[in-house]
Amino acid sequence: LYRSRVDGGAPELVYEEHDPALFMQVGRTAADGFVVLSVAGPDTSEVRLIRADDEEGVPEVLRPRQRGTRYEVVESNDALLMLIHDDSAPGGRVAALDPHDFSVHGECVPPRPGVHIIALTSFARGVLRLQRVAEQLQIVLMQPDGGEHIIAFDEPAYHLAIAPMQAYQTSHVRLVHQTPAQPPRWIDLDLESGAWHEVGGMHLREFDPGAYRVE
């Protein structure tokens, strides 16, 4: 990873990963407080953060890599949330970190039997937790006051996802739901109340979802 000044000059090497088994990517947190440099492989990961108000600063290691431990981080208002998968929490747990010294403040979501946390997506009014329970996907709205709202469905099989590229300051988040017999439909989730409603969907000519049974 190189860094170049917009007013010219030679590129500066910021970080070089020497393990050929690891992938590396760079991005920004949704709240725009940090530049995130992450490396990850099948059984390990490591995140370095550069504060967005100090783009020429040295990347700070969030947690040194350890075989058998994978983690990722999102920024939520004045906190960092770390999703961790390790031997003590194979299904995942979520810890809250101080954004200044990265110390652990506590566990927001403890490990739970039968629950696998897949990802976190942060917005100004809440954090969405994508998880799988009894092999079915759920999206959990984690609100700043600690409240939670679960979005799930009774169908025997379905897919549920968060539409990409949504604004951090949005008040409603667009979700996508579909089943093997039902084309995609779009759902708006209110981050303040946790209520959701369908806003549209894909309709196919000469196709009747009621003619199929999903088991």
Side-chain angles (χ1 to χ4, degrees), residues 83 85 90-92 109-120 128-140 150-153 155-161 178:
L83 171 57
H85 293 90
V109 183
R112 299 168 181 171
V115 178
H116 181 78
I117 305 173
I118 300 170
L120 300 176
L128 298 186
R129 183 174 82 240
L130 177 64
Q131 61 186 29
R132 191 180 295 277
V133 180
E135 305 309 320
Q136 295 287 45
L137 290 172
Q138 297 179 347
I139 289 178
V140 182
I150 299 177
I151 297 89
F153 300 88
E155 292 115 335
Y158 62 86
H159 181 69
L160 185 63
Q178 69 180 105

Side-chain angles (χ1 to χ4, degrees), residues 17-164:
E17 177 55 51
H18 296 284
D19 188 339
L22 299 182
F23 292 93
M24 186 169 70
Q25 63 181 20
V26 64
R28 279 182 179 264
T29 55
D32 211 29
F34 296 90
V35 177
V36 182
L37 167 63
S38 59
V39 295
D43 63 348
T44 190
S45 62
E46 188 174 68
V47 172
R48 287 170 168 78
L49 297 179
I50 302 173
R51 300 182 189 276
D53 59 0
D54 183 23
E55 293 181 343
E56 295 183 347
V58 176
E60 303 174 67
V61 178
L62 197 58
R63 175 173 175 169
R65 69 186 69 175
Q66 182 178 354
R67 189 171 297 278
T69 298
R70 288 177 56 88
Y71 71 92
E72 57 189 70
V73 65
V74 299
E75 182 184 10
S76 175
N77 294 315
D78 296 326
L80 293 173
L81 298 182
M82 179 187 289
L83 171 57
I84 307 164
H85 293 90
D86 57 18
D87 291 339
S88 65
R93 56 190 172 92
V94 180
L97 310 181
D98 186 292
H100 303 290
D101 60 12
F102 305 149
S103 60
V104 178
H105 276 190
E107 205 164 55
C108 301
V109 183
R112 299 168 181 171
V115 178
H116 181 78
I117 305 173
I118 300 170
L120 300 176
T121 304
S122 65
F123 297 93
R125 294 171 174 83
V127 176
L128 298 186
R129 183 174 82 240
L130 177 64
Q131 61 186 29
R132 191 180 295 277
V133 180
E135 305 309 320
Q136 295 287 45
L137 290 172
Q138 297 179 347
I139 289 178
V140 182
L141 168 59
M142 304 166 57
Q143 295 177 309
D145 62 2
E148 290 193 348
H149 296 270
I150 299 177
I151 297 89
F153 300 88
D154 293 331
E155 292 115 335
Y158 62 86
H159 181 69
L160 185 63
I162 303 167

Side-chain angles (χ1 to χ4, degrees), residues 179-183 202-214:
T179 78
Q182 176 68 52
M202 180 183 294
H203 300 281
L204 305 177
R205 291 190 303 169
E206 300 179 3
F207 174 75
D208 177 15
Y212 298 87
R213 185 176 68 217
V214 178

